[in-house]
Amino acid sequence: MSETTGGEDRMQAIEARLQLLEDEVAIRRLLSSYGPAVDSGNSGAGADLYADNGIFDYSTFVDDRLQEQYLDKRGIFDMLEHGQHQTFIHEGAAHTLGPAIIDISGDTAVATNYSVILRRIGMSITVYRMSANRWDLVRTSKGWRFTKRTTRMLDGSADARELLGRAIAD
Amino acid sequence: MSETTGGEDRMQAIEARLQLLEDEVAIRRLLSSYGPAVDSGNSGAGADLYADNGIFDYSTFVDDRLQEQYLDKRGIFDMLEHGQHQTFIHEGAAHTLGPAIIDISGDTAVATNYSVILRRIGMSITVYRMSANRWDLVRTSKGWRFTKRTTRMLDGSADARELLGRAIAD
Amino acid sequence: MSETTGGEDRMQAIEARLQLLEDEVAIRRLLSSYGPAVDSGNSGAGADLYADNGIFDYSTFVDDRLQEQYLDKRGIFDMLEHGQHQTFIHEGAAHTLGPAIIDISGDTAVATNYSVILRRIGMSITVYRMSANRWDLVRTSKGWRFTKRTTRMLDGSADARELLGRAIAD
């Protein structure tokens, strides 16, 4: 009896579970694209990982003081296209991201992971940066995109610990 | 004809495949939570990644000799809450885990991966530890949890090679 | 009414989506097996990650000049079984691979990721190599296998940037 298949409700439950698994794959794929986009020098592709209103919230040293900075999508493109980023990738650099905690809620999601920048300096390779990252995401007509990347250097500051802690809070 | 859908057997096969995929996602999520739990300083969350009877089996230097140590869940909490772990995360540390080989068998599973601890020391970042890890897991009422983490430093010893070798044996 | 389940077409669409998700898991598992296979010293398992006609295309220093090298499956086994690889793993080494961009097309696939080799030298751990990798894969009767691994060191050369760029091109 085909009646035993449970009908429409059961089919919809299966399709919803598939959709969630596919979303998880798509978000991991977007995160895995970050490094290759920026290390290949494709600044356009790097910026296009973000939604149109996407922003990059990071901290950096300004006159020896750590300060928060915000870049919009245009600013992200400029950072990748100009400045020291191009120097880094022409000397040898890997912007690596580790496996992420991913929480999906319908058309939005949050991912949390570590980023480690490795740089070749002369004949040696150094760990140049290690940071905690929170990626806010949205489902767009072109697929999942970042609405906000928040990066805090793992330099002992409370900011980075709090960012990581948000991912494991109940 | 709805008869062609194959009926109950086919539906159950689909649901079993979904369950296995969802288990794989859940186990990756648990592994990805390890670093953020311990690096955020949330020792309770770090210990709660383990089942109630979970243990941590590792090797460390005691009086300059490498010795095996065992910690139960309370011991894991104490290690994270006290001692050098807190010093490390307040100086800047990343307890990173790489992608894992995951083998699921019903309500138990085994995952094998690398762990790399990065520490900020002054203005530089050092690779402080690299180890091979075997995670035994169980499905509990609260989701997947570790029953045992076995960690061996990749210091050239046979122990670490044997641990890694178990994951790829037939 | 079981008619509402949509019948055979809907079931086949579900099963095709499951298959694609399972292929993604299998390919990640193959990639995650690479490090444990070679770092455990199981050269046979390391070579068997490749299809029978699989090749390893890499660049290395020959008389201080960077040159492209090709190894077939027998050559991969020999490289792992003899030479400096055995020295490395007996001193302590981790051949780590990061999360990959994976594109599956029926019975073939391409994966792109970073590889980082960590080596213990005395009491310290160094980043010995960082490279960009492109893995061409095929579905065989024994599961997914590598038909070609292309590795280029991230030493600032255009080769590595081009390899990464291929993974994010439309």
PDB file of all heavy atoms in Angstrom, chain B residues 20 23-28 30-31 101-112 134-140 144-149 166, chain C residues 29:
ATOM      1  N   LEU B  20      21.945   9.511   8.601  1.00  0.00           N
ATOM      2  CA  LEU B  20      23.400   9.336   8.590  1.00  0.00           C
ATOM      3  C   LEU B  20      24.098  10.649   8.199  1.00  0.00           C
ATOM      4  O   LEU B  20      25.106  11.035   8.806  1.00  0.00           O
ATOM      5  CB  LEU B  20      23.779   8.213   7.614  1.00  0.00           C
ATOM      6  CG  LEU B  20      25.226   7.721   7.657  1.00  0.00           C
ATOM      7  CD1 LEU B  20      25.591   7.197   9.041  1.00  0.00           C
ATOM      8  CD2 LEU B  20      25.438   6.614   6.612  1.00  0.00           C
ATOM      9  N   ASP B  23      23.824  12.956  11.128  1.00  0.00           N
ATOM     10  CA  ASP B  23      24.780  12.572  12.175  1.00  0.00           C
ATOM     11  C   ASP B  23      26.170  13.096  11.840  1.00  0.00           C
ATOM     12  O   ASP B  23      26.897  13.573  12.720  1.00  0.00           O
ATOM     13  CB  ASP B  23      24.822  11.040  12.320  1.00  0.00           C
ATOM     14  CG  ASP B  23      23.608  10.495  13.069  1.00  0.00           C
ATOM     15  OD1 ASP B  23      22.952  11.276  13.787  1.00  0.00           O
ATOM     16  OD2 ASP B  23      23.324   9.294  12.925  1.00  0.00           O
ATOM     17  N   GLU B  24      26.541  13.013  10.573  1.00  0.00           N
ATOM     18  CA  GLU B  24      27.866  13.486  10.166  1.00  0.00           C
ATOM     19  C   GLU B  24      27.982  14.996  10.418  1.00  0.00           C
ATOM     20  O   GLU B  24      29.004  15.486  10.901  1.00  0.00           O
ATOM     21  CB  GLU B  24      28.106  13.155   8.687  1.00  0.00           C
ATOM     22  CG  GLU B  24      29.558  13.031   8.274  1.00  0.00           C
ATOM     23  CD  GLU B  24      30.090  14.269   7.577  1.00  0.00           C
ATOM     24  OE1 GLU B  24      29.298  15.194   7.276  1.00  0.00           O
ATOM     25  OE2 GLU B  24      31.297  14.328   7.338  1.00  0.00           O
ATOM     26  N   VAL B  25      26.938  15.735  10.087  1.00  0.00           N
ATOM     27  CA  VAL B  25      26.936  17.185  10.340  1.00  0.00           C
ATOM     28  C   VAL B  25      27.048  17.453  11.841  1.00  0.00           C
ATOM     29  O   VAL B  25      27.829  18.310  12.277  1.00  0.00           O
ATOM     30  CB  VAL B  25      25.659  17.850   9.777  1.00  0.00           C
ATOM     31  CG1 VAL B  25      25.575  19.307  10.217  1.00  0.00           C
ATOM     32  CG2 VAL B  25      25.616  17.751   8.260  1.00  0.00           C
ATOM     33  N   ALA B  26      26.300  16.705  12.633  1.00  0.00           N
ATOM     34  CA  ALA B  26      26.290  16.939  14.089  1.00  0.00           C
ATOM     35  C   ALA B  26      27.662  16.650  14.696  1.00  0.00           C
ATOM     36  O   ALA B  26      28.114  17.368  15.592  1.00  0.00           O
ATOM     37  CB  ALA B  26      25.217  16.071  14.743  1.00  0.00           C
ATOM     38  N   ILE B  27      28.326  15.602  14.204  1.00  0.00           N
ATOM     39  CA  ILE B  27      29.643  15.261  14.746  1.00  0.00           C
ATOM     40  C   ILE B  27      30.677  16.311  14.333  1.00  0.00           C
ATOM     41  O   ILE B  27      31.517  16.726  15.134  1.00  0.00           O
ATOM     42  CB  ILE B  27      30.046  13.839  14.289  1.00  0.00           C
ATOM     43  CG1 ILE B  27      29.179  12.812  15.025  1.00  0.00           C
ATOM     44  CG2 ILE B  27      31.533  13.572  14.521  1.00  0.00           C
ATOM     45  CD1 ILE B  27      29.277  11.405  14.485  1.00  0.00           C
ATOM     46  N   ARG B  28      30.603  16.783  13.096  1.00  0.00           N
ATOM     47  CA  ARG B  28      31.504  17.872  12.692  1.00  0.00           C
ATOM     48  C   ARG B  28      31.267  19.108  13.534  1.00  0.00           C
ATOM     49  O   ARG B  28      32.196  19.832  13.898  1.00  0.00           O
ATOM     50  CB  ARG B  28      31.323  18.196  11.210  1.00  0.00           C
ATOM     51  CG  ARG B  28      32.069  17.245  10.287  1.00  0.00           C
ATOM     52  CD  ARG B  28      32.135  17.762   8.854  1.00  0.00           C
ATOM     53  NE  ARG B  28      30.883  17.600   8.159  1.00  0.00           N
ATOM     54  CZ  ARG B  28      30.050  18.548   7.848  1.00  0.00           C
ATOM     55  NH1 ARG B  28      30.342  19.809   8.148  1.00  0.00           N
ATOM     56  NH2 ARG B  28      28.928  18.293   7.216  1.00  0.00           N
ATOM     57  N   LEU B  30      30.165  19.251  16.616  1.00  0.00           N
ATOM     58  CA  LEU B  30      30.734  19.030  17.949  1.00  0.00           C
ATOM     59  C   LEU B  30      32.248  19.259  17.919  1.00  0.00           C
ATOM     60  O   LEU B  30      32.804  19.927  18.798  1.00  0.00           O
ATOM     61  CB  LEU B  30      30.419  17.606  18.421  1.00  0.00           C
ATOM     62  CG  LEU B  30      30.755  17.292  19.890  1.00  0.00           C
ATOM     63  CD1 LEU B  30      29.752  17.965  20.829  1.00  0.00           C
ATOM     64  CD2 LEU B  30      30.779  15.782  20.144  1.00  0.00           C
ATOM     65  N   LEU B  31      32.902  18.709  16.907  1.00  0.00           N
ATOM     66  CA  LEU B  31      34.356  18.889  16.780  1.00  0.00           C
ATOM     67  C   LEU B  31      34.697  20.368  16.581  1.00  0.00           C
ATOM     68  O   LEU B  31      35.665  20.877  17.159  1.00  0.00           O
ATOM     69  CB  LEU B  31      34.897  18.066  15.610  1.00  0.00           C
ATOM     70  CG  LEU B  31      34.926  16.538  15.825  1.00  0.00           C
ATOM     71  CD1 LEU B  31      35.132  15.817  14.490  1.00  0.00           C
ATOM     72  CD2 LEU B  31      36.034  16.148  16.811  1.00  0.00           C
ATOM     73  N   ILE B 101      38.364  12.388   9.582  1.00  0.00           N
ATOM     74  CA  ILE B 101      37.794  11.142   9.068  1.00  0.00           C
ATOM     75  C   ILE B 101      36.728  10.718  10.062  1.00  0.00           C
ATOM     76  O   ILE B 101      37.032  10.568  11.253  1.00  0.00           O
ATOM     77  CB  ILE B 101      38.849  10.012   8.995  1.00  0.00           C
ATOM     78  CG1 ILE B 101      40.089  10.467   8.223  1.00  0.00           C
ATOM     79  CG2 ILE B 101      38.239   8.760   8.391  1.00  0.00           C
ATOM     80  CD1 ILE B 101      41.181   9.394   8.205  1.00  0.00           C
ATOM     81  N   ILE B 102      35.508  10.538   9.628  1.00  0.00           N
ATOM     82  CA  ILE B 102      34.418  10.199  10.539  1.00  0.00           C
ATOM     83  C   ILE B 102      33.791   8.876  10.118  1.00  0.00           C
ATOM     84  O   ILE B 102      33.397   8.724   8.959  1.00  0.00           O
ATOM     85  CB  ILE B 102      33.347  11.313  10.560  1.00  0.00           C
ATOM     86  CG1 ILE B 102      33.965  12.632  11.050  1.00  0.00           C
ATOM     87  CG2 ILE B 102      32.157  10.919  11.431  1.00  0.00           C
ATOM     88  CD1 ILE B 102      33.035  13.835  10.957  1.00  0.00           C
ATOM     89  N   ASP B 103      33.729   7.930  11.039  1.00  0.00           N
ATOM     90  CA  ASP B 103      33.071   6.642  10.799  1.00  0.00           C
ATOM     91  C   ASP B 103      31.946   6.474  11.799  1.00  0.00           C
ATOM     92  O   ASP B 103      32.189   6.404  13.006  1.00  0.00           O
ATOM     93  CB  ASP B 103      34.081   5.494  10.937  1.00  0.00           C
ATOM     94  CG  ASP B 103      35.031   5.437   9.744  1.00  0.00           C
ATOM     95  OD1 ASP B 103      34.525   5.414   8.608  1.00  0.00           O
ATOM     96  OD2 ASP B 103      36.251   5.433   9.950  1.00  0.00           O
ATOM     97  N   ILE B 104      30.732   6.421  11.295  1.00  0.00           N
ATOM     98  CA  ILE B 104      29.544   6.320  12.143  1.00  0.00           C
ATOM     99  C   ILE B 104      28.989   4.901  12.045  1.00  0.00           C
ATOM    100  O   ILE B 104      28.879   4.341  10.966  1.00  0.00           O
ATOM    101  CB  ILE B 104      28.466   7.330  11.691  1.00  0.00           C
ATOM    102  CG1 ILE B 104      29.040   8.748  11.705  1.00  0.00           C
ATOM    103  CG2 ILE B 104      27.209   7.219  12.555  1.00  0.00           C
ATOM    104  CD1 ILE B 104      28.149   9.775  11.018  1.00  0.00           C
ATOM    105  N   SER B 105      28.662   4.360  13.210  1.00  0.00           N
ATOM    106  CA  SER B 105      28.071   3.022  13.239  1.00  0.00           C
ATOM    107  C   SER B 105      26.920   3.046  14.224  1.00  0.00           C
ATOM    108  O   SER B 105      27.103   2.790  15.416  1.00  0.00           O
ATOM    109  CB  SER B 105      29.147   1.999  13.641  1.00  0.00           C
ATOM    110  OG  SER B 105      28.575   0.716  13.749  1.00  0.00           O
ATOM    111  N   GLY B 106      25.743   3.389  13.744  1.00  0.00           N
ATOM    112  CA  GLY B 106      24.569   3.468  14.614  1.00  0.00           C
ATOM    113  C   GLY B 106      24.694   4.581  15.624  1.00  0.00           C
ATOM    114  O   GLY B 106      24.747   5.755  15.245  1.00  0.00           O
ATOM    115  N   ASP B 107      24.787   4.217  16.908  1.00  0.00           N
ATOM    116  CA  ASP B 107      24.818   5.226  17.969  1.00  0.00           C
ATOM    117  C   ASP B 107      26.220   5.508  18.484  1.00  0.00           C
ATOM    118  O   ASP B 107      26.389   6.186  19.502  1.00  0.00           O
ATOM    119  CB  ASP B 107      23.931   4.784  19.142  1.00  0.00           C
ATOM    120  CG  ASP B 107      22.461   4.777  18.754  1.00  0.00           C
ATOM    121  OD1 ASP B 107      22.079   5.560  17.857  1.00  0.00           O
ATOM    122  OD2 ASP B 107      21.702   3.978  19.333  1.00  0.00           O
ATOM    123  N   THR B 108      27.236   4.971  17.805  1.00  0.00           N
ATOM    124  CA  THR B 108      28.605   5.309  18.166  1.00  0.00           C
ATOM    125  C   THR B 108      29.344   5.747  16.908  1.00  0.00           C
ATOM    126  O   THR B 108      28.899   5.491  15.776  1.00  0.00           O
ATOM    127  CB  THR B 108      29.355   4.122  18.815  1.00  0.00           C
ATOM    128  OG1 THR B 108      29.415   3.051  17.871  1.00  0.00           O
ATOM    129  CG2 THR B 108      28.665   3.655  20.088  1.00  0.00           C
ATOM    130  N   ALA B 109      30.472   6.399  17.115  1.00  0.00           N
ATOM    131  CA  ALA B 109      31.247   6.887  15.973  1.00  0.00           C
ATOM    132  C   ALA B 109      32.689   7.102  16.406  1.00  0.00           C
ATOM    133  O   ALA B 109      32.993   7.162  17.610  1.00  0.00           O
ATOM    134  CB  ALA B 109      30.657   8.205  15.454  1.00  0.00           C
ATOM    135  N   VAL B 110      33.572   7.181  15.423  1.00  0.00           N
ATOM    136  CA  VAL B 110      34.981   7.493  15.665  1.00  0.00           C
ATOM    137  C   VAL B 110      35.392   8.581  14.682  1.00  0.00           C
ATOM    138  O   VAL B 110      35.058   8.520  13.494  1.00  0.00           O
ATOM    139  CB  VAL B 110      35.876   6.251  15.457  1.00  0.00           C
ATOM    140  CG1 VAL B 110      37.353   6.632  15.570  1.00  0.00           C
ATOM    141  CG2 VAL B 110      35.534   5.162  16.453  1.00  0.00           C
ATOM    142  N   ALA B 111      36.098   9.587  15.168  1.00  0.00           N
ATOM    143  CA  ALA B 111      36.619  10.652  14.302  1.00  0.00           C
ATOM    144  C   ALA B 111      38.120  10.780  14.535  1.00  0.00           C
ATOM    145  O   ALA B 111      38.587  10.642  15.680  1.00  0.00           O
ATOM    146  CB  ALA B 111      35.921  11.976  14.608  1.00  0.00           C
ATOM    147  N   THR B 112      38.861  10.994  13.468  1.00  0.00           N
ATOM    148  CA  THR B 112      40.318  11.134  13.576  1.00  0.00           C
ATOM    149  C   THR B 112      40.744  12.393  12.839  1.00  0.00           C
ATOM    150  O   THR B 112      40.346  12.620  11.695  1.00  0.00           O
ATOM    151  CB  THR B 112      41.026   9.907  12.961  1.00  0.00           C
ATOM    152  OG1 THR B 112      40.599   8.720  13.655  1.00  0.00           O
ATOM    153  CG2 THR B 112      42.541  10.035  13.069  1.00  0.00           C
ATOM    154  N   ARG B 134      42.145  10.873  18.192  1.00  0.00           N
ATOM    155  CA  ARG B 134      41.072   9.928  17.934  1.00  0.00           C
ATOM    156  C   ARG B 134      39.953  10.234  18.922  1.00  0.00           C
ATOM    157  O   ARG B 134      40.176  10.249  20.137  1.00  0.00           O
ATOM    158  CB  ARG B 134      41.571   8.499  18.129  1.00  0.00           C
ATOM    159  CG  ARG B 134      40.515   7.432  17.903  1.00  0.00           C
ATOM    160  CD  ARG B 134      41.085   6.051  18.185  1.00  0.00           C
ATOM    161  NE  ARG B 134      40.076   5.021  18.134  1.00  0.00           N
ATOM    162  CZ  ARG B 134      39.780   4.321  17.024  1.00  0.00           C
ATOM    163  NH1 ARG B 134      40.417   4.530  15.900  1.00  0.00           N
ATOM    164  NH2 ARG B 134      38.833   3.401  17.060  1.00  0.00           N
ATOM    165  N   TRP B 135      38.780  10.518  18.385  1.00  0.00           N
ATOM    166  CA  TRP B 135      37.630  10.870  19.208  1.00  0.00           C
ATOM    167  C   TRP B 135      36.608   9.734  19.129  1.00  0.00           C
ATOM    168  O   TRP B 135      36.081   9.481  18.043  1.00  0.00           O
ATOM    169  CB  TRP B 135      36.976  12.157  18.700  1.00  0.00           C
ATOM    170  CG  TRP B 135      37.897  13.313  18.474  1.00  0.00           C
ATOM    171  CD1 TRP B 135      38.717  13.512  17.405  1.00  0.00           C
ATOM    172  CD2 TRP B 135      38.104  14.447  19.330  1.00  0.00           C
ATOM    173  NE1 TRP B 135      39.413  14.694  17.538  1.00  0.00           N
ATOM    174  CE2 TRP B 135      39.055  15.294  18.710  1.00  0.00           C
ATOM    175  CE3 TRP B 135      37.556  14.850  20.564  1.00  0.00           C
ATOM    176  CZ2 TRP B 135      39.479  16.495  19.276  1.00  0.00           C
ATOM    177  CZ3 TRP B 135      37.978  16.049  21.123  1.00  0.00           C
ATOM    178  CH2 TRP B 135      38.928  16.848  20.483  1.00  0.00           C
ATOM    179  N   ASP B 136      36.354   9.077  20.242  1.00  0.00           N
ATOM    180  CA  ASP B 136      35.251   8.111  20.295  1.00  0.00           C
ATOM    181  C   ASP B 136      34.003   8.859  20.733  1.00  0.00           C
ATOM    182  O   ASP B 136      34.050   9.656  21.682  1.00  0.00           O
ATOM    183  CB  ASP B 136      35.587   6.978  21.285  1.00  0.00           C
ATOM    184  CG  ASP B 136      36.694   6.087  20.758  1.00  0.00           C
ATOM    185  OD1 ASP B 136      36.417   5.286  19.846  1.00  0.00           O
ATOM    186  OD2 ASP B 136      37.834   6.214  21.237  1.00  0.00           O
ATOM    187  N   LEU B 137      32.906   8.582  20.042  1.00  0.00           N
ATOM    188  CA  LEU B 137      31.679   9.350  20.287  1.00  0.00           C
ATOM    189  C   LEU B 137      30.500   8.427  20.538  1.00  0.00           C
ATOM    190  O   LEU B 137      30.482   7.274  20.089  1.00  0.00           O
ATOM    191  CB  LEU B 137      31.349  10.237  19.083  1.00  0.00           C
ATOM    192  CG  LEU B 137      32.353  11.318  18.713  1.00  0.00           C
ATOM    193  CD1 LEU B 137      33.069  10.956  17.417  1.00  0.00           C
ATOM    194  CD2 LEU B 137      31.670  12.665  18.560  1.00  0.00           C
ATOM    195  N   VAL B 138      29.515   8.983  21.223  1.00  0.00           N
ATOM    196  CA  VAL B 138      28.265   8.256  21.457  1.00  0.00           C
ATOM    197  C   VAL B 138      27.092   9.220  21.288  1.00  0.00           C
ATOM    198  O   VAL B 138      27.210  10.412  21.578  1.00  0.00           O
ATOM    199  CB  VAL B 138      28.244   7.628  22.881  1.00  0.00           C
ATOM    200  CG1 VAL B 138      28.222   8.711  23.954  1.00  0.00           C
ATOM    201  CG2 VAL B 138      27.062   6.673  23.042  1.00  0.00           C
ATOM    202  N   ARG B 139      25.985   8.683  20.791  1.00  0.00           N
ATOM    203  CA  ARG B 139      24.765   9.478  20.701  1.00  0.00           C
ATOM    204  C   ARG B 139      24.080   9.443  22.066  1.00  0.00           C
ATOM    205  O   ARG B 139      23.805   8.374  22.597  1.00  0.00           O
ATOM    206  CB  ARG B 139      23.834   8.867  19.653  1.00  0.00           C
ATOM    207  CG  ARG B 139      22.596   9.700  19.341  1.00  0.00           C
ATOM    208  CD  ARG B 139      21.520   8.878  18.646  1.00  0.00           C
ATOM    209  NE  ARG B 139      22.005   8.121  17.510  1.00  0.00           N
ATOM    210  CZ  ARG B 139      22.129   8.600  16.279  1.00  0.00           C
ATOM    211  NH1 ARG B 139      21.763   9.833  16.038  1.00  0.00           N
ATOM    212  NH2 ARG B 139      22.579   7.840  15.290  1.00  0.00           N
ATOM    213  N   THR B 140      23.878  10.614  22.653  1.00  0.00           N
ATOM    214  CA  THR B 140      23.190  10.684  23.953  1.00  0.00           C
ATOM    215  C   THR B 140      21.863  11.407  23.757  1.00  0.00           C
ATOM    216  O   THR B 140      21.542  11.854  22.649  1.00  0.00           O
ATOM    217  CB  THR B 140      24.025  11.479  24.994  1.00  0.00           C
ATOM    218  OG1 THR B 140      23.917  12.886  24.701  1.00  0.00           O
ATOM    219  CG2 THR B 140      25.486  11.062  24.973  1.00  0.00           C
ATOM    220  N   TRP B 144      25.288  14.102  20.095  1.00  0.00           N
ATOM    221  CA  TRP B 144      26.571  13.395  20.096  1.00  0.00           C
ATOM    222  C   TRP B 144      27.517  14.003  21.124  1.00  0.00           C
ATOM    223  O   TRP B 144      27.581  15.222  21.280  1.00  0.00           O
ATOM    224  CB  TRP B 144      27.214  13.464  18.703  1.00  0.00           C
ATOM    225  CG  TRP B 144      26.513  12.590  17.706  1.00  0.00           C
ATOM    226  CD1 TRP B 144      25.501  12.947  16.854  1.00  0.00           C
ATOM    227  CD2 TRP B 144      26.752  11.188  17.486  1.00  0.00           C
ATOM    228  NE1 TRP B 144      25.094  11.859  16.111  1.00  0.00           N
ATOM    229  CE2 TRP B 144      25.848  10.771  16.467  1.00  0.00           C
ATOM    230  CE3 TRP B 144      27.636  10.256  18.027  1.00  0.00           C
ATOM    231  CZ2 TRP B 144      25.817   9.457  15.991  1.00  0.00           C
ATOM    232  CZ3 TRP B 144      27.607   8.953  17.557  1.00  0.00           C
ATOM    233  CH2 TRP B 144      26.698   8.561  16.555  1.00  0.00           C
ATOM    234  N   ARG B 145      28.241  13.131  21.839  1.00  0.00           N
ATOM    235  CA  ARG B 145      29.218  13.572  22.823  1.00  0.00           C
ATOM    236  C   ARG B 145      30.461  12.687  22.708  1.00  0.00           C
ATOM    237  O   ARG B 145      30.391  11.566  22.231  1.00  0.00           O
ATOM    238  CB  ARG B 145      28.653  13.455  24.250  1.00  0.00           C
ATOM    239  CG  ARG B 145      27.532  14.443  24.581  1.00  0.00           C
ATOM    240  CD  ARG B 145      28.035  15.875  24.657  1.00  0.00           C
ATOM    241  NE  ARG B 145      27.003  16.825  25.042  1.00  0.00           N
ATOM    242  CZ  ARG B 145      26.145  17.396  24.188  1.00  0.00           C
ATOM    243  NH1 ARG B 145      26.186  17.101  22.901  1.00  0.00           N
ATOM    244  NH2 ARG B 145      25.272  18.290  24.630  1.00  0.00           N
ATOM    245  N   PHE B 146      31.603  13.201  23.206  1.00  0.00           N
ATOM    246  CA  PHE B 146      32.836  12.412  23.228  1.00  0.00           C
ATOM    247  C   PHE B 146      32.819  11.458  24.424  1.00  0.00           C
ATOM    248  O   PHE B 146      32.555  11.883  25.555  1.00  0.00           O
ATOM    249  CB  PHE B 146      34.068  13.321  23.357  1.00  0.00           C
ATOM    250  CG  PHE B 146      34.159  14.373  22.288  1.00  0.00           C
ATOM    251  CD1 PHE B 146      34.342  15.713  22.619  1.00  0.00           C
ATOM    252  CD2 PHE B 146      34.068  14.029  20.945  1.00  0.00           C
ATOM    253  CE1 PHE B 146      34.430  16.692  21.636  1.00  0.00           C
ATOM    254  CE2 PHE B 146      34.151  15.007  19.951  1.00  0.00           C
ATOM    255  CZ  PHE B 146      34.334  16.338  20.302  1.00  0.00           C
ATOM    256  N   THR B 147      33.129  10.192  24.172  1.00  0.00           N
ATOM    257  CA  THR B 147      33.343   9.277  25.299  1.00  0.00           C
ATOM    258  C   THR B 147      34.832   9.187  25.614  1.00  0.00           C
ATOM    259  O   THR B 147      35.226   8.914  26.736  1.00  0.00           O
ATOM    260  CB  THR B 147      32.812   7.856  24.996  1.00  0.00           C
ATOM    261  OG1 THR B 147      33.320   7.439  23.722  1.00  0.00           O
ATOM    262  CG2 THR B 147      31.297   7.847  24.958  1.00  0.00           C
ATOM    263  N   LYS B 148      35.659   9.411  24.579  1.00  0.00           N
ATOM    264  CA  LYS B 148      37.099   9.378  24.818  1.00  0.00           C
ATOM    265  C   LYS B 148      37.811  10.197  23.749  1.00  0.00           C
ATOM    266  O   LYS B 148      37.524  10.060  22.559  1.00  0.00           O
ATOM    267  CB  LYS B 148      37.613   7.934  24.777  1.00  0.00           C
ATOM    268  CG  LYS B 148      39.078   7.800  25.178  1.00  0.00           C
ATOM    269  CD  LYS B 148      39.509   6.334  25.232  1.00  0.00           C
ATOM    270  CE  LYS B 148      40.936   6.200  25.726  1.00  0.00           C
ATOM    271  NZ  LYS B 148      41.390   4.793  25.726  1.00  0.00           N
ATOM    272  N   ARG B 149      38.695  11.056  24.194  1.00  0.00           N
ATOM    273  CA  ARG B 149      39.615  11.706  23.273  1.00  0.00           C
ATOM    274  C   ARG B 149      41.002  11.156  23.557  1.00  0.00           C
ATOM    275  O   ARG B 149      41.475  11.230  24.696  1.00  0.00           O
ATOM    276  CB  ARG B 149      39.633  13.222  23.471  1.00  0.00           C
ATOM    277  CG  ARG B 149      40.653  13.906  22.585  1.00  0.00           C
ATOM    278  CD  ARG B 149      40.852  15.380  22.906  1.00  0.00           C
ATOM    279  NE  ARG B 149      41.822  15.981  21.993  1.00  0.00           N
ATOM    280  CZ  ARG B 149      42.230  17.234  22.052  1.00  0.00           C
ATOM    281  NH1 ARG B 149      41.749  18.038  22.982  1.00  0.00           N
ATOM    282  NH2 ARG B 149      43.118  17.691  21.188  1.00  0.00           N
ATOM    283  N   ARG B 166      45.141   3.647  12.602  1.00  0.00           N
ATOM    284  CA  ARG B 166      43.883   2.955  12.898  1.00  0.00           C
ATOM    285  C   ARG B 166      42.731   3.505  12.069  1.00  0.00           C
ATOM    286  O   ARG B 166      41.774   2.786  11.763  1.00  0.00           O
ATOM    287  CB  ARG B 166      43.523   3.114  14.379  1.00  0.00           C
ATOM    288  CG  ARG B 166      44.404   2.307  15.311  1.00  0.00           C
ATOM    289  CD  ARG B 166      44.041   2.573  16.763  1.00  0.00           C
ATOM    290  NE  ARG B 166      42.744   1.997  17.125  1.00  0.00           N
ATOM    291  CZ  ARG B 166      42.136   2.212  18.289  1.00  0.00           C
ATOM    292  NH1 ARG B 166      42.699   2.987  19.202  1.00  0.00           N
ATOM    293  NH2 ARG B 166      40.969   1.664  18.548  1.00  0.00           N
TER     294      ARG B 166
ATOM    295  N   ARG C  29      35.864  12.757   2.997  1.00  0.00           N
ATOM    296  CA  ARG C  29      36.496  11.674   3.749  1.00  0.00           C
ATOM    297  C   ARG C  29      37.799  11.231   3.080  1.00  0.00           C
ATOM    298  O   ARG C  29      38.801  10.978   3.755  1.00  0.00           O
ATOM    299  CB  ARG C  29      35.542  10.482   3.849  1.00  0.00           C
ATOM    300  CG  ARG C  29      35.951   9.482   4.895  1.00  0.00           C
ATOM    301  CD  ARG C  29      35.085   8.252   4.883  1.00  0.00           C
ATOM    302  NE  ARG C  29      35.358   7.424   6.050  1.00  0.00           N
ATOM    303  CZ  ARG C  29      36.471   6.743   6.232  1.00  0.00           C
ATOM    304  NH1 ARG C  29      37.411   6.758   5.318  1.00  0.00           N
ATOM    305  NH2 ARG C  29      36.647   6.033   7.329  1.00  0.00           N
TER     306      ARG C  29
END
